[in-house]
Amino acid sequence: RGNTLKNIEKECNAKIMIRGKGSVKEGKVGRKDGQMLPGEDEPLHALVTANTMDNVKKAVEQIRNILKQGIETPEDQNDLRKMQLRELARLNGTLREDDNRCV
């Protein structure tokens, strides 16, 4: 639900928008007038804006770290991904208390 993105925005005092091909889920309508969304015809990317360049740099660094972790870490060892899925299950009301057991 975008909570990781929201946390980075809050921590870095920045605004982050995911844009480009694949940024809108299949079947979701973009603009009501049928026009393309800004950047929709571009490769997938993050647009980071902030009041200071330092805040932009902090946000970009956090995004890079998340991407690096997602690429380099096997899914079963990716702690951020596990935390995100657990939080989503909690928000959806599908979290089972035995989900945090050690196997």
Side-chain angles (χ1 to χ4, degrees):
R1 295 192 183 169
N3 287 342
T4 302
L5 190 71
K6 291 174 193 171
N7 289 338
I8 295 172
E9 287 180 330
K10 186 176 180 181
E11 187 177 319
C12 298
N13 197 23
K15 178 69 180 158
I16 304 167
M17 293 172 276
I18 307 300
R19 290 198 171 165
K21 293 179 184 172
S23 63
V24 177
K25 290 182 181 179
E26 276 301 313
K28 292 282 185 183
V29 178
R31 290 176 41 162
K32 292 180 181 168
D33 61 7
Q35 297 295 315
M36 292 179 77
L37 293 168
E40 190 176 2
D41 58 338
E42 300 172 2
L44 190 62
H45 64 282
L47 176 63
V48 181
T49 58
N51 289 335
T52 69
M53 198 59 186
D54 283 343
N55 289 347
V56 170
K57 288 177 182 179
K58 284 194 310 190
V60 167
E61 186 61 30
Q62 287 197 26
I63 293 167
R64 283 189 175 140
N65 288 338
I66 289 172
L67 291 173
K68 183 178 178 187
Q69 182 178 358
I71 292 168
E72 295 178 356
T73 306
E75 192 168 328
D76 62 334
Q77 297 173 15
N78 189 329
D79 292 334
L80 174 62
R81 181 77 176 141
K82 288 178 188 177
M83 185 268 311
Q84 288 173 325
L85 290 172
R86 182 174 173 75
E87 181 179 8
L88 184 60
R90 183 183 56 77
L91 291 169
N92 289 337
T94 58
L95 179 66
R96 297 186 323 242
E97 288 306 315
D98 61 344
D99 281 351
N100 59 4
R101 66 184 184 278
C102 294
V103 243

